[in-house]
Amino acid sequence: MNKEVENVKINWIEFENLKTGLKINKINFFDDITLLVGLSGVGKTQILDAIRYSLNIATSKRAKLLPYCAHLGISVDNDRFEWSYRIENVTNVAIQEYSQPYIFTYEKLLCNGNVVFERIKDNVSITGYDKIPQPKKDESLLLQYAEDEKLNILSKSIRQMYAVEIELAIRGALNRESFVSIMENFGPLAEKNIDFGIFHHFPTVMKLYLAKKYYMNVYVQIFEKVKELFMEIEDIDVVEDSYQDAYVLSIKVYGKQLLQKDISNGMLKSIYYITELCTMSQNSLVLIDEFENGLGVNCIDVLTDVFLSERQDLQFIITSHHPKIINHISMNKWKIIDRDVNIVTNCTPTEYGLTNSYHDGYFNLINRWEYEGKI
């Protein structure tokens, strides 16, 4: 498939955890940014997890199967795909046949309303084929037939937008063994200045290292945005920390080098955010849970502006409790999340009865929750 995909978005998802009974009612997402607003514990994080998990089983052979059921809508340029799956416990088969105790018992893909494939337990049909080899039961058909012409465009698009999780373990480091392995395999490509996009799923520290060493235009873009927040930073680098036997981020401030462990959490997280923003692949889906965590007040304003204006190709789905963030994003982009026992629901601010200027949206929402006795 040589067609270059220009626009990929996740349109909606509905999801059920068959073990716990948690059910997420269908939630539609905006093409640019969707802000999930709600009290703690109502299911905002579970929505992000459902998206992340579903995309993972469609792209990774190492994905761990869990007893989940989901239905997703994904648009690829002018095509509209609907993908459904159901994963259940292995029954009536020899357990040793599978690497894990769960299998796909149902899976279906539609393209513009037409069936592409369908799996109902042992019966599998793919449009255009009279006979097909019996597929693996513990792997998605999207993954097994990723190179097939009919499925390639969707498989390629899901890999292209595969969810970027910015809530990274930023206090971690890239161990020396991993660093050396990446450089041995990809260093020669970087030396030839191949498109930086091939590195977009690398650890943030690795991408920053490659940018500074081989792609100065990318590094300058990162550095200039960091300087908007922290004028005192004179340089950003990735160096070996012999004490940890790992490679870590470092900065130069007032002539003094600080290693990652000595950098404040807010500053470090901001540098990670900016690096990711500048190096994400085209059409990436960005999931951020509680965007404000660990950020200083000055960082929140600037980073929110950067996310909303810098990359028009990206799709953001984020959660937040912070009034500065909530009031900074138009109410037209909100989804208010609520929960009734095990059912996670969502609605628009208008449906929730909020009709004032979005600059007062957060406070109106708080007043509503207080009136309802929720806080």
Side-chain angles (χ1 to χ4, degrees), residues 179 183 187 190-191 193 207-216 219 237:
F179 178 89
M183 286 304 298
E191 289 177 356
N193 271 141
K207 289 195 288 186
L208 189 56
Y209 177 87
L210 291 171
K212 185 165 187 180
K213 187 173 179 64
Y214 301 108
Y215 300 84
M216 187 52 62
Y219 173 78
D237 208 346

Side-chain angles (χ1 to χ4, degrees), residues 13 15 49-59 70 72 83 85:
I13 190 171
F15 181 87
D49 289 343
I51 298 169
R52 187 184 302 110
Y53 176 83
S54 297
L55 298 182
N56 189 34
I57 64 171
T59 55
L72 295 81
W83 176 46
Y85 67 83

Side-chain angles (χ1 to χ4, degrees), residues 9 26 51 123 127 183 187 217 223 239 258-259 262 285 287 294:
K9 305 295 179 188
K26 183 176 181 180
I51 298 169
N123 298 316
T127 301
M183 286 304 298
N217 60 320
F223 182 71
V239 299
L258 299 177
L259 295 184
D262 300 315
L285 169 63
L287 306 177

Side-chain angles (χ1 to χ4, degrees), residues 171-173 175-176 241-248 260-261:
R171 286 297 171 187
N175 66 66
R176 188 177 186 279
D241 182 346
S242 57
Y243 181 77
Q244 296 189 63
D245 194 26
Y247 282 78
V248 300
Q260 188 163 311
K261 60 184 175 61

Side-chain angles (χ1 to χ4, degrees), residues 148-211:
D148 183 90
E149 183 177 356
K150 296 180 179 63
L151 301 178
N152 182 266
I153 186 171
L154 179 59
S155 298
K156 176 181 176 182
S157 299
I158 290 177
R159 288 195 300 271
Q160 184 176 337
M161 77 167 186
Y162 183 75
V164 176
E165 176 53 76
I166 294 192
E167 283 302 311
L168 303 163
I170 62 173
R171 286 297 171 187
L174 182 63
N175 66 66
R176 188 177 186 279
E177 183 179 350
S178 297
F179 178 89
V180 170
S181 176
I182 291 174
M183 286 304 298
E184 286 178 349
N185 288 287
F186 292 93
L189 296 177
E191 289 177 356
K192 296 177 182 178
N193 271 141
I194 195 168
D195 183 6
F196 193 86
I198 71 166
F199 310 124
H200 71 273
H201 286 326
F202 281 8
T204 308
V205 167
M206 194 73 232
K207 289 195 288 186
L208 189 56
Y209 177 87
L210 291 171

Side-chain angles (χ1 to χ4, degrees), residues 116 124-133 145 148-150:
V116 178
V124 178
S125 62
I126 300 179
T127 301
Y129 293 86
D130 294 329
K131 294 182 179 181
I132 61 169
Y145 291 92
D148 183 90
E149 183 177 356
K150 296 180 179 63

Side-chain angles (χ1 to χ4, degrees), residues 10-52:
I10 180 167
N11 306 125
W12 47 267
I13 190 171
E14 50 186 337
F15 181 87
E16 182 177 2
N17 184 322
L18 300 176
K19 184 175 182 179
T20 66
L22 177 72
K23 184 176 181 181
I24 298 171
N25 285 353
K26 183 176 181 180
I27 177 170
N28 295 293
F29 304 111
F30 301 107
D31 286 351
D32 47 4
I33 185 168
T34 304
L35 175 64
L36 308 182
V37 182
L39 296 170
S40 295
V42 295
K44 301 185 300 298
T45 300
Q46 283 78 3
I47 293 171
L48 299 187
D49 289 343
I51 298 169
R52 187 184 302 110

